[in-house]
Amino acid sequence: MATLKLGVLISGRGTNLQALIDRCAEQSFPAEIAVVISNRGDAAGLARAAEAGIATEVIPHGDYDGRAAFDAEVGRALERHGVGLVCLAGFMRLLGTEFVDCWRDRLINIHPSLLPAFKGLDTHARALEAGVRFTGCTVHFVRAEMDVGPILVQAAVPVRPGDTEDTLAARVLAAEHRAYPSAVRLIAEGRVRVVDERVEIDGARAPEPTALNPRDD
Ligand code: GRF
């Protein structure tokens, strides 16, 4: 099977990008990163890409007259690099409807909550405030509405007594680094279909049922 070419869009530190770089470096992994695009020249993730010998492009959103022009430039860069799947990894710009429709079902995002709970920012603070016993992360196909779209992979992590925003964020981030490459792999292996806005995955197996939090022993 030909390897799937990824375009990874970032705005910041790029730890999810790093997780993808690390998995793509494994010989049996069916995807490779063709280009990393950032809307910010100071994104730390750019150095991670350069270190791995991956092409980078900086497309500063402020240089463009409106969202459509910026999106179009991003689209041209992705096409130039022959990208087949776009991965948003901490990309802090909303992409317009035209771009999202053009890349429909070839555009995924990772979000640090169990969607549809806690869309938007400050997910960990809001999870603590709500008193949920589990939170986690979601990899989903992107639709025009923010943090909405068919769900590919979720990872659940427990909220522990004494958790702060930082401890919870670290636990979820470690789960993100497993979930994102896993979702990419399922797509690259051709096992994923979107049917009626839900994701069907060939040969998907669920984990053992029911984790209680807290335990009562
Ligand atoms: C992650 O928490 C991701 O879920 C969210 O933005 C953050 C990006 O972190 N969309 P990093 O740049 O990958 O370290």
Side-chain angles (χ1 to χ4, degrees):
M1 197 187 298
T3 51
L4 179 63
K5 289 193 173 186
L6 310 178
V8 184
L9 271 53
I10 63 168
S11 299
R13 65 189 169 176
T15 67
N16 278 288
L17 165 65
Q18 188 68 54
L20 289 169
I21 290 172
D22 293 346
R23 287 304 300 278
C24 286
E26 293 171 18
Q27 230 216 314
S28 61
F29 198 76
E32 64 183 293
I33 303 177
V35 64
V36 171
I37 299 173
S38 175
N39 65 312
R40 299 177 55 115
D42 62 355
L46 288 168
R48 298 176 186 272
E51 172 78 14
I54 297 166
T56 59
E57 304 229 6
V58 176
I59 305 178
H61 56 270
D63 289 3
Y64 294 84
D65 195 12
R67 191 191 306 282
F70 169 75
D71 288 2
E73 187 61 36
V74 172
R76 279 192 291 274
L78 293 167
E79 300 287 358
R80 252 198 324 276
H81 289 275
V83 165
L85 178 69
V86 181
C87 303
L88 306 183
F91 184 65
M92 300 305 282
R93 303 294 299 173
L94 258 190
L95 293 159
T97 311
E98 203 178 322
F99 183 95
V100 170
D101 287 349
C102 174
W103 289 91
R104 190 180 174 91
D105 298 345
R106 297 183 300 151
L107 170 60
I108 62 177
N109 180 45
I110 185 154
H111 180 76
S113 76
L114 293 174
L115 290 173
F118 309 124
K119 294 171 185 163
L121 298 175
D122 300 324
T123 54
H124 307 305
R126 287 189 289 138
L128 289 171
E129 169 69 23
V132 295
R133 297 295 187 195
F134 291 95
T135 183
C137 64
T138 303
V139 183
H140 64 97
F141 286 107
V142 173
R143 297 294 182 254
E145 198 182 334
M146 194 176 66
D147 300 329
V148 167
I151 291 172
L152 265 155
V153 171
Q154 292 188 306
V157 307
V159 178
R160 297 214 168 108
D163 261 341
T164 63
E165 210 179 320
D166 286 349
T167 59
L168 190 54
R171 193 171 311 124
V172 172
L173 193 63
E176 293 184 41
H177 297 160
R178 290 177 61 190
Y180 216 2
S182 176
V184 167
R185 177 182 203 141
L186 292 170
I187 294 172
E189 288 176 345
R191 295 167 60 184
V192 169
R193 281 179 314 277
V194 181
V195 181
D196 292 337
E197 289 299 82
R198 278 190 290 272
V199 175
E200 293 181 358
I201 300 172
D202 292 337
R205 287 184 302 130
E208 291 307 307
T210 315
L212 280 186
N213 185 24
R215 300 162 59 115
D216 59 9
D217 54 3

